[in-house]
mmCIF file of all heavy atoms in Angstrom:
data_model
loop_
_atom_site.group_PDB
_atom_site.id
_atom_site.type_symbol
_atom_site.label_atom_id
_atom_site.label_comp_id
_atom_site.label_asym_id
_atom_site.label_seq_id
_atom_site.Cartn_x
_atom_site.Cartn_y
_atom_site.Cartn_z
ATOM 1 N N ILE A 150 33.649 28.759 -10.017
ATOM 2 C CA ILE A 150 34.009 29.100 -11.355
ATOM 3 C C ILE A 150 35.152 30.212 -11.343
ATOM 4 O O ILE A 150 36.087 30.221 -12.116
ATOM 5 C CB ILE A 150 32.847 29.745 -12.099
ATOM 6 C CG1 ILE A 150 31.778 28.696 -12.438
ATOM 7 C CG2 ILE A 150 33.419 30.404 -13.434
ATOM 8 C CD1 ILE A 150 30.552 29.224 -12.920
ATOM 9 N N ASN A 151 35.074 31.165 -10.374
ATOM 10 C CA ASN A 151 36.204 32.093 -10.146
ATOM 11 C C ASN A 151 37.505 31.444 -9.707
ATOM 12 O O ASN A 151 38.586 31.834 -10.161
ATOM 13 C CB ASN A 151 35.731 33.072 -9.163
ATOM 14 C CG ASN A 151 34.546 33.979 -9.613
ATOM 15 O OD1 ASN A 151 34.287 34.085 -10.876
ATOM 16 N ND2 ASN A 151 33.748 34.504 -8.681
ATOM 17 N N ALA A 152 37.415 30.470 -8.902
ATOM 18 C CA ALA A 152 38.586 29.783 -8.411
ATOM 19 C C ALA A 152 39.234 29.041 -9.547
ATOM 20 O O ALA A 152 40.462 28.926 -9.626
ATOM 21 C CB ALA A 152 38.162 28.824 -7.236
ATOM 22 N N GLU A 153 38.412 28.484 -10.516
ATOM 23 C CA GLU A 153 39.074 27.780 -11.697
ATOM 24 C C GLU A 153 40.005 28.849 -12.503
ATOM 25 O O GLU A 153 40.939 28.392 -12.952
ATOM 26 C CB GLU A 153 37.973 27.289 -12.574
ATOM 27 C CG GLU A 153 38.363 26.588 -13.825
ATOM 28 C CD GLU A 153 39.076 25.263 -13.500
ATOM 29 O OE1 GLU A 153 38.746 24.735 -12.393
ATOM 30 O OE2 GLU A 153 39.735 24.725 -14.418
ATOM 31 N N ALA A 154 39.565 30.056 -12.695
ATOM 32 C CA ALA A 154 40.292 31.094 -13.280
ATOM 33 C C ALA A 154 41.658 31.272 -12.637
ATOM 34 O O ALA A 154 42.745 31.341 -13.267
ATOM 35 C CB ALA A 154 39.554 32.380 -13.438
ATOM 36 N N GLU A 155 41.620 31.250 -11.247
ATOM 37 C CA GLU A 155 42.867 31.445 -10.500
ATOM 38 C C GLU A 155 43.773 30.288 -10.699
ATOM 39 O O GLU A 155 45.063 30.398 -10.818
ATOM 40 C CB GLU A 155 42.591 31.683 -9.105
ATOM 41 C CG GLU A 155 41.736 32.932 -8.782
ATOM 42 C CD GLU A 155 41.350 33.097 -7.229
ATOM 43 O OE1 GLU A 155 41.950 32.188 -6.473
ATOM 44 O OE2 GLU A 155 40.617 33.846 -6.872
ATOM 45 N N VAL A 156 43.287 29.064 -10.723
ATOM 46 C CA VAL A 156 44.039 27.843 -10.880
ATOM 47 C C VAL A 156 44.672 27.749 -12.236
ATOM 48 O O VAL A 156 45.819 27.466 -12.323
ATOM 49 C CB VAL A 156 43.114 26.579 -10.704
ATOM 50 C CG1 VAL A 156 43.942 25.343 -11.094
ATOM 51 C CG2 VAL A 156 42.670 26.469 -9.318
ATOM 52 N N GLU A 157 43.975 28.229 -13.267
ATOM 53 C CA GLU A 157 44.505 28.187 -14.630
ATOM 54 C C GLU A 157 45.633 29.222 -14.707
ATOM 55 O O GLU A 157 46.683 28.984 -15.426
ATOM 56 C CB GLU A 157 43.430 28.412 -15.649
ATOM 57 C CG GLU A 157 42.424 27.258 -15.925
ATOM 58 C CD GLU A 157 41.402 27.479 -16.968
ATOM 59 O OE1 GLU A 157 41.525 28.501 -17.690
ATOM 60 O OE2 GLU A 157 40.654 26.640 -17.160
ATOM 61 N N ALA A 158 45.313 30.347 -14.167
ATOM 62 C CA ALA A 158 46.376 31.490 -14.149
ATOM 63 C C ALA A 158 47.688 31.078 -13.497
ATOM 64 O O ALA A 158 48.776 31.178 -13.988
ATOM 65 C CB ALA A 158 45.894 32.722 -13.565
ATOM 66 N N THR A 159 47.524 30.199 -12.296
ATOM 67 C CA THR A 159 48.723 29.737 -11.604
ATOM 68 C C THR A 159 49.330 28.759 -12.496
ATOM 69 O O THR A 159 50.634 28.621 -12.575
ATOM 70 C CB THR A 159 48.237 29.246 -10.241
ATOM 71 O OG1 THR A 159 47.478 30.112 -9.570
ATOM 72 C CG2 THR A 159 49.435 28.714 -9.514
ATOM 73 N N GLN A 160 48.640 27.934 -13.281
ATOM 74 C CA GLN A 160 49.227 26.838 -14.119
ATOM 75 C C GLN A 160 50.051 27.426 -15.145
ATOM 76 O O GLN A 160 51.221 27.098 -15.372
ATOM 77 C CB GLN A 160 48.082 26.002 -14.723
ATOM 78 C CG GLN A 160 47.542 25.050 -13.842
ATOM 79 C CD GLN A 160 46.279 24.364 -14.573
ATOM 80 O OE1 GLN A 160 46.044 24.662 -15.733
ATOM 81 N NE2 GLN A 160 45.585 23.481 -13.797
ATOM 82 N N MET A 161 49.534 28.422 -15.836
ATOM 83 C CA MET A 161 50.409 29.172 -16.790
ATOM 84 C C MET A 161 51.598 29.750 -16.339
ATOM 85 O O MET A 161 52.685 29.735 -16.988
ATOM 86 C CB MET A 161 49.509 30.218 -17.584
ATOM 87 C CG MET A 161 48.256 29.755 -18.271
ATOM 88 S SD MET A 161 48.706 28.505 -19.489
ATOM 89 C CE MET A 161 48.359 27.017 -18.666
ATOM 90 N N THR A 162 51.519 30.364 -15.090
ATOM 91 C CA THR A 162 52.759 30.899 -14.601
ATOM 92 C C THR A 162 53.812 29.892 -14.222
ATOM 93 O O THR A 162 54.903 29.988 -14.451
ATOM 94 C CB THR A 162 52.361 31.745 -13.275
ATOM 95 O OG1 THR A 162 51.415 32.705 -13.553
ATOM 96 C CG2 THR A 162 53.641 32.526 -12.716
ATOM 97 N N CYS A 163 53.262 28.672 -13.696
ATOM 98 C CA CYS A 163 54.229 27.609 -13.335
ATOM 99 C C CYS A 163 54.930 27.116 -14.557
ATOM 100 O O CYS A 163 56.142 26.790 -14.470
ATOM 101 C CB CYS A 163 53.406 26.503 -12.607
ATOM 102 S SG CYS A 163 52.759 27.043 -10.981
ATOM 103 N N PHE A 164 54.132 26.816 -15.605
ATOM 104 C CA PHE A 164 54.757 26.200 -16.737
ATOM 105 C C PHE A 164 55.569 27.134 -17.536
ATOM 106 O O PHE A 164 56.415 26.641 -18.402
ATOM 107 C CB PHE A 164 53.520 25.601 -17.672
ATOM 108 C CG PHE A 164 53.132 24.296 -17.044
ATOM 109 C CD1 PHE A 164 51.804 24.142 -16.618
ATOM 110 C CD2 PHE A 164 53.887 23.092 -17.109
ATOM 111 C CE1 PHE A 164 51.246 23.040 -16.079
ATOM 112 C CE2 PHE A 164 53.318 21.871 -16.555
ATOM 113 C CZ PHE A 164 52.032 21.886 -16.086
ATOM 114 N N SER A 165 55.414 28.433 -17.432
ATOM 115 C CA SER A 165 56.216 29.417 -18.246
ATOM 116 C C SER A 165 57.590 29.571 -17.347
ATOM 117 O O SER A 165 58.435 30.222 -17.886
ATOM 118 C CB SER A 165 55.534 30.680 -18.328
ATOM 119 O OG SER A 165 55.194 31.246 -16.945
ATOM 120 N N GLY A 166 57.701 28.988 -16.131
ATOM 121 C CA GLY A 166 58.978 29.110 -15.503
ATOM 122 C C GLY A 166 59.044 30.297 -14.420
ATOM 123 O O GLY A 166 60.119 30.401 -13.932
ATOM 124 N N SER A 167 58.095 31.048 -14.435
ATOM 125 C CA SER A 167 58.054 32.271 -13.509
ATOM 126 C C SER A 167 58.209 31.853 -12.069
ATOM 127 O O SER A 167 58.825 32.535 -11.346
ATOM 128 C CB SER A 167 56.934 33.043 -13.641
ATOM 129 O OG SER A 167 56.824 33.507 -15.054
ATOM 130 N N ILE A 168 57.542 30.699 -11.751
ATOM 131 C CA ILE A 168 57.603 30.353 -10.339
ATOM 132 C C ILE A 168 58.302 28.891 -10.304
ATOM 133 O O ILE A 168 57.944 28.071 -11.045
ATOM 134 C CB ILE A 168 56.068 30.214 -9.740
ATOM 135 C CG1 ILE A 168 55.434 31.528 -9.797
ATOM 136 C CG2 ILE A 168 56.124 29.603 -8.369
ATOM 137 C CD1 ILE A 168 54.042 31.484 -9.276
ATOM 138 N N ASN A 169 59.136 28.762 -9.224
ATOM 139 C CA ASN A 169 59.975 27.551 -9.243
ATOM 140 C C ASN A 169 59.897 26.836 -7.810
ATOM 141 O O ASN A 169 60.836 26.202 -7.588
ATOM 142 C CB ASN A 169 61.293 27.777 -9.728
ATOM 143 C CG ASN A 169 61.999 26.542 -10.185
ATOM 144 O OD1 ASN A 169 61.322 25.492 -10.555
ATOM 145 N ND2 ASN A 169 63.429 26.466 -10.071
ATOM 146 N N HIS A 170 58.825 27.210 -7.173
ATOM 147 C CA HIS A 170 58.748 26.468 -5.713
ATOM 148 C C HIS A 170 58.045 25.119 -5.896
ATOM 149 O O HIS A 170 57.064 24.980 -6.477
ATOM 150 C CB HIS A 170 57.846 27.490 -4.862
ATOM 151 C CG HIS A 170 58.384 28.803 -4.721
ATOM 152 N ND1 HIS A 170 59.560 29.126 -4.120
ATOM 153 C CD2 HIS A 170 57.993 29.999 -5.166
ATOM 154 C CE1 HIS A 170 59.802 30.517 -4.206
ATOM 155 N NE2 HIS A 170 58.792 31.063 -4.881
ATOM 156 N N GLY A 171 58.783 24.203 -5.309
ATOM 157 C CA GLY A 171 58.441 22.820 -5.546
ATOM 158 C C GLY A 171 57.004 22.561 -5.196
ATOM 159 O O GLY A 171 56.248 21.859 -5.939
ATOM 160 N N LEU A 172 56.568 23.031 -4.043
ATOM 161 C CA LEU A 172 55.153 22.690 -3.445
ATOM 162 C C LEU A 172 54.134 23.326 -4.445
ATOM 163 O O LEU A 172 53.223 22.720 -4.815
ATOM 164 C CB LEU A 172 55.009 23.264 -2.168
ATOM 165 C CG LEU A 172 53.592 23.102 -1.416
ATOM 166 C CD1 LEU A 172 53.322 21.693 -1.295
ATOM 167 C CD2 LEU A 172 53.522 23.874 -0.155
ATOM 168 N N GLU A 173 54.407 24.582 -4.970
ATOM 169 C CA GLU A 173 53.364 25.163 -5.825
ATOM 170 C C GLU A 173 53.374 24.427 -7.266
ATOM 171 O O GLU A 173 52.284 24.255 -7.772
ATOM 172 C CB GLU A 173 53.740 26.691 -6.013
ATOM 173 C CG GLU A 173 53.518 27.506 -4.646
ATOM 174 C CD GLU A 173 53.944 28.902 -4.782
ATOM 175 O OE1 GLU A 173 54.894 29.102 -5.633
ATOM 176 O OE2 GLU A 173 53.480 29.772 -4.005
#
Side-chain angles (χ1 to χ4, degrees):
I150 293 174
N151 294 336
E153 177 71 18
E155 296 177 11
V156 172
E157 289 186 1
T159 307
Q160 288 176 2
M161 293 303 101
T162 305
C163 291
F164 282 109
S165 63
S167 301
I168 297 177
N169 199 23
H170 302 293
L172 179 61
E173 293 175 335

